[in-house]
Amino acid sequence: NEGLNLTDDAASLIASAADGGMRDALSILDLCASSSKNIDEKIVENVCAMAGDEYLLDLCDCIKDGDTQKALLMIDNLHNSSVDMLRLLGELISHYRDLMIIKTVRTGKRPIVCSATRLANLEKQAEKFDIKEIVYTLNVLQSATALMKTGDRRCEMEMTIVKLCNPELSVDLASLER
C-alpha cells in the first residue's frame, strides 16, 4: 500500500536485524523507505549501520587464518564508514552462531534466517572450521559484549579481534587447547 518494492533478501535482513521485534522491523522499514522506494539488502545495511555479509565472511576468514593485520585494517575501515562496533560485534556473533548451527544441524530445516546466497556462503565457510573453534570464538565475542557497553567500543573490538587471531594471548583453557 505504501508503494515500496522490498526484495526478499532485504525483508530477511530486516527480520534478522529486528531480532523478532515487529516494532523494530517496522522502524527499520520506515527508515529504509525514507532512503528509497526500492529497498534491497544494501539499503538495509546502510540504514542499520551494518558491516554486511561480505565483510563478515572476510573478517571470519582473517580470524581463521590468524591475519591480525588485515582484520584490524578491516575494523578501521568499518569504523571510518560509521559502522557501529557494538552492532558489528552482534553481527559477528550471529555469523558464528549460524556457522555453529550449520556444523551441528545436519538434516532438516536449520534455524537460520538468511538469503539463499548467504546460506551457501555460510555452508562453504563452515567447512573450514572445527566446532571447537566456533564455540571458542562465540565465547570470546559474548564476553566482549559486556565490556563493550562500558568501555571504548572501537578499542574493545580491536582487542577482541587480536585475541581471536592470536588465541595464545588468552589464558583460559579453551584458548590454550585451541
Side-chain angles (χ1 to χ4, degrees):
N1 289 338
E2 301 296 324
L4 301 174
N5 294 318
L6 179 69
T7 67
D8 290 342
D9 291 346
S12 292
L13 190 55
I14 289 171
S16 178
D19 198 26
M22 181 58 84
R23 287 186 198 157
D24 290 342
L26 289 173
S27 294
I28 294 169
L29 180 61
D30 189 43
L31 289 169
C32 291
S34 68
S35 296
S36 174
K37 296 295 181 192
N38 297 310
I39 302 168
D40 61 11
E41 282 180 294
K42 286 292 181 201
I43 289 176
V44 177
E45 288 171 358
N46 288 339
V47 163
C48 293
M50 300 171 94
D53 194 38
E54 188 175 322
Y55 268 105
L56 293 174
L57 290 164
D58 287 347
L59 191 53
C60 189
D61 283 343
C62 287
I63 291 168
K64 172 66 177 162
D65 297 338
D67 192 342
T68 308
Q69 178 177 325
K70 184 176 178 186
L72 288 176
L73 290 173
M74 289 178 68
I75 297 298
D76 182 58
N77 185 39
L78 290 168
H79 184 266
N80 292 336
S81 300
S82 299
V83 170
D84 179 65
M85 293 294 106
L86 188 57
R87 164 96 51 196
L88 175 60
L89 185 63
E91 287 182 82
L92 271 175
I93 289 170
S94 293
H95 186 86
Y96 277 94
R97 177 218 173 251
D98 291 346
L99 292 175
M100 178 182 68
I101 297 298
I102 289 167
K103 292 296 278 189
T104 56
V105 179
R106 304 251 185 233
T107 59
K109 188 175 183 321
R110 295 180 177 134
I112 298 174
V113 177
C114 67
S115 68
T117 303
R118 175 163 165 69
L119 183 60
N121 289 334
L122 284 165
E123 288 172 339
K124 183 177 177 184
Q125 191 168 59
E127 293 172 9
K128 302 175 188 177
F129 284 88
D130 179 272
I131 190 66
K132 287 180 184 179
E133 292 172 300
I134 295 169
V135 171
Y136 166 76
T137 302
L138 279 168
N139 280 325
V140 171
L141 293 171
Q142 292 283 30
S143 297
T145 303
L147 296 170
M148 195 176 278
K149 290 179 182 175
T150 59
D152 181 301
R153 290 181 176 185
R154 180 180 183 172
C155 184
E156 187 58 44
M157 188 69 202
E158 290 167 340
M159 288 187 337
T160 300
I161 294 301
V162 169
K163 287 178 195 175
L164 291 173
C165 289
N166 304 281
E168 67 276 5
L169 295 177
S170 295
V171 292
D172 61 40
L173 185 60
S175 62
L176 291 173
E177 185 178 290
R178 184 168 175 239

